[in-house]
Amino acid sequence: MIPRARSSAPSLFVGSGRARLGAFTLATLAALAALGCKRPGATAQADGGVPDDAAAPPPATQGQNSVPEPPPPPDKPLLGITAFVTTVYAEPRDTAKKLGYLRVGAKVARSEEPVGKAGCPGGWYEIHPKGFVCAGDDATTDLESPILKAAAKRPDLKAALPYRYAFVRAVLPLYIKVPTAKQQFDSEFKLQEHLDWYKQNEATVNQVVLGAPDVPIDERGVPVPGKHIGEMGLGKNSQELALGQLLGGETDADPIPFWLEGGKRLVPNISDFKVPDFAVFADRARRHTGLSLIGSFPTGEDNLNRRFAITTDLRLAPNTKIKPDLGSPWHGLELTDEFSLPLAFVRTQGAKTYRISKGKAIPDSDVEWRSAHALAGTMKTVEGVKYYRTKDKRWLSQLDVGLAVPPASFPEDAEKGKKWIEISITNQTFVMWEGKRPIYATLVSTGKAGLDDPKKTTATVRGVFKIRNKHITATMDSNEGSSVGGAKVTTVAASHSPDGGGKPAAPKAGDKGAKPGGKPDPKAAAKGGKPAAKPAAAKPGAAKGKPAPAAGGAEKIPTKGDGEYGVTRRRGEGTFQLRDVPYIQYFESGYALHTAYWHDVFGTPRSHGCVNLSPVDAHRVFLWTDPPVPDGWHAVNAGDDFGEGTTVIIHE
C-alpha cells in the first residue's frame, strides 16, 4: 500500500537520547514520549573506516551509494564462480582476512595470470575491485563450464526481491534430477492423493495478490509518486504473469535446462546436502520453508506432467507443493521539502481521527491504516492519552500511531554530512538521514520483546552501531538465525532460542565468520539402493537430539488441515528455513536490518531481534547504505578495504 501523504509541516517535533546520541532532548513538545537511547554492554565499535577527523565526504546524492565502485576495464579476463559460495580474501592465502564472497554463476574481472599458487594449485587470481580468489574447486577460468551456464541467472538488484520466491505448502523432496513417475512415487508419501487434491484445487491455490514486485520503483529503489501498485508500464504485473514466470521462468513453457536433459545431471550438486551420484534428491524441505527460485519448466507424462521450479542452489521443487509468494507491497515514502518530518504513521487498523472538545476526545472520521500524516507541532493530553494535531487540523491518538520526528541536536555523523539511520522501537519507525536532512521514512518490525533486555529476550539492541557486512541474500532460520551473522546453525532453530537467548556473534570485518556456513561433510551413505545422506549438521527442521531421516526415508504421515492439503498455518510460523532472505545488513552480533518477505505486520514488534523491513524498503536501504557491494559480488565486509559502514542509531 502506498502511504497517503497529508499536508506538509515544519520540523517542530524532537526526540531525546543519551550517551553517543548527543543531546537528543525534547524541545518544542516536551510532553512527547522520551526516545531514550540505551546501549547494553560495551560501546559498539566500527570494524574499520576513516578516523573522526577525516575530511567530510562529498554530499550524498540519494543515489545508490555515495561512492560507487568504478567498473573494471572492459578488456579484463573473467573468473567464473563454480561453488555455491566462494570467499574473497584480502591476500592470496586462505588464512587472510575475508573481504566478502561471491555466488555460483558470478563472473568477475581478474588478473591475467595467477599471482601465486601457495595452498592453491589452480592459482590465486586478483579480482575486481580488490581481493583474491583461488581457482580450482570454487572458481574457474573456463567460462564454458556447464555450472556457469546452469547458474547464469543472477540476482536482480533492480527489483524489490532479487529472486522469485515461494513457500512450501507440503513436505517435498528437493530433486537434483528430473524424476520419473516411479521415482516421484517412491520419494513422496501419498503422492497420488496429493496430486488428486491439486488437480481439484489448482485454479485457486496458485492465485496471487499484488506484492512487492508490483510496486513501481525508480533506479534508486524509491517508490514512484503517483503510480499505483501494479502499474508496471510496458511490463506485466504479477497477476498477469503465468505460473511458470511466478516461479522464476522466462515463460510458462521454458524447456528442460540442458544440464537436466534425459533424466541426467550434467553439473555437480552444489547444495550443502551431499548425496551419492545416483541419488535422485538431496534433502527435503519442510512446510512453511521459503524457497528462492531462478527458473521453472513443465514436464510430460513420464514425469507426471509436473512443473519443477529451480532453486538458487540448482535443486528442483515440484510446483504442486509450493505456492508463489510476492512479499508485502507496504513501503515508506520519500521525504521532500513539501512533506517531511515530523510525521505520524497510522499503525492500528480501524483507527479514527478525533475532535477535542471540553476535555473530551470525540471519534470523528476513519483513517487509513499505515497512512502518513504531517504533524503541526501541537499535542494535548486527554484522560491520560496524548493526541497529536495534524497539519490538516485533525487529532490522532498516540495509541494508533508511530511518530517519526527530528532530534533537538544531531549526532556526529549528521554534523559531518554523513548518512545515518535512526530507528525508534517505541514508534516502530525508521528514518534515513543525509546529514541533517531526512530523506525517507517507513515503518518496521523490531524485536517482539519491545524494550526488554536484549540479552535475555527477543528485544532489539539499542545504541549506536555501524553496518558490519552486507549480503544480497542469505539463508536464515525461522528465528532469524544465520551463519552469516555468526550463528552456528546446526538445526533450523538452533541459532536463537524462542525466548531470544543465545544470540550468536556476528562476524567482524575480515573474520572467519563472514562466509555463510562451513564446509559440509563430503561423505554420504546410501542404503537399500535409495538416496540417503547424513550431513555434518542435523537436517533442517529435525528435532534436537533426534537423527535426521534419510533422504529417501519415511516421514510423519500428514493429515488434512496440517498443511499437506494447502491449508497451511501462517507464513513464517514454526521452525524451518527461509532461503535467500534479501538485503541483509548486520550491524551488531546477531542483529541485522533485512527484508521480511514472510509477513506484513510492519509497524508492530514481531522479530527475534533483527529489524524487519518490507521488501521495497529493505531494497531501498540496501542500495543507499555504505559500503556498496561490488558488482558481481554477493556480500562485502565493511572495514579498511571498502570503507566504514553507515551508522545505525536505535533508541526507545
Side-chain angles (χ1 to χ4, degrees), residues 258-403:
F258 77 92
W259 50 278
L260 291 170
E261 289 178 345
K264 300 179 181 180
R265 184 180 176 94
L266 302 181
V267 299
N269 168 30
I270 59 172
S271 76
D272 59 4
F273 196 92
K274 303 305 178 184
V275 293
D277 291 340
F278 58 80
V280 177
F281 67 92
D283 205 5
R284 298 182 186 270
R286 294 187 59 175
R287 289 186 292 276
H288 319 302
T289 294
L291 299 179
S292 50
L293 309 173
I294 58 172
S296 74
F297 56 89
T299 61
E301 292 183 5
D302 291 345
N303 311 101
L304 299 180
N305 294 306
R306 289 172 101 182
R307 174 183 297 278
F308 291 90
I310 306 171
T311 65
T312 52
D313 59 6
L314 303 183
R315 289 184 285 180
L316 308 178
N319 83 287
T320 64
K321 292 189 173 181
I322 61 177
K323 178 177 175 56
D325 192 86
L326 304 175
S328 168
W330 158 254
H331 60 78
L333 70 161
E334 185 170 27
L335 302 177
T336 65
D337 292 339
E338 290 72 35
F339 187 84
S340 190
L341 306 185
L343 61 82
F345 286 103
V346 176
R347 296 195 291 158
T348 304
Q349 297 195 52
K352 301 275 189 181
T353 60
Y354 290 84
R355 292 181 291 107
I356 295 180
S357 177
K358 299 179 180 179
K360 296 289 185 181
I362 305 166
D364 193 1
S365 58
D366 294 333
V367 61
E368 185 179 353
W369 179 47
R370 292 201 293 213
S371 54
H373 302 260
L375 299 177
T378 303
M379 185 197 71
K380 289 185 178 181
T381 300
V382 178
E383 298 179 330
V385 177
K386 296 180 178 69
Y387 291 85
Y388 309 115
R389 183 74 159 176
T390 66
K391 190 66 175 179
D392 56 0
K393 300 179 181 180
R394 302 187 295 172
W395 294 92
L396 295 172
S397 167
Q398 71 174 117
L399 304 178
D400 296 327
V401 300
L403 303 180

Side-chain angles (χ1 to χ4, degrees), residues 590-620:
Y591 297 89
L593 315 174
H594 66 78
T595 297
Y597 63 80
W598 50 90
H599 76 71
D600 189 13
V601 294
F602 303 102
T604 301
R606 197 259 188 201
S607 79
H608 284 75
C610 288
V611 178
N612 288 182
L613 294 105
S614 74
V616 173
D617 289 338
H619 174 245
R620 165 60 175 140

Side-chain angles (χ1 to χ4, degrees), residues 15 17-25 37 405-422 431 433-437 463-466 647-651:
R18 295 188 295 276
R20 294 174 61 190
L21 280 173
F24 272 48
T25 56
C37 175
V405 299
S409 62
F410 286 91
E412 185 177 355
D413 279 355
E415 297 290 349
K416 292 183 177 181
K418 295 182 178 181
K419 300 174 182 177
W420 57 290
I421 291 168
E422 181 191 4
V431 181
W433 294 82
E434 290 183 350
K436 298 181 179 180
R437 180 187 179 192
V464 182
F465 312 94
K466 295 281 188 181
T647 295
V648 178
I649 297 176
I650 305 176
H651 55 75

Side-chain angles (χ1 to χ4, degrees), residues 244-258:
Q245 295 168 300
L246 291 173
L247 297 179
E250 296 296 324
T251 71
D252 197 40
D254 288 0
I256 293 176
F258 77 92

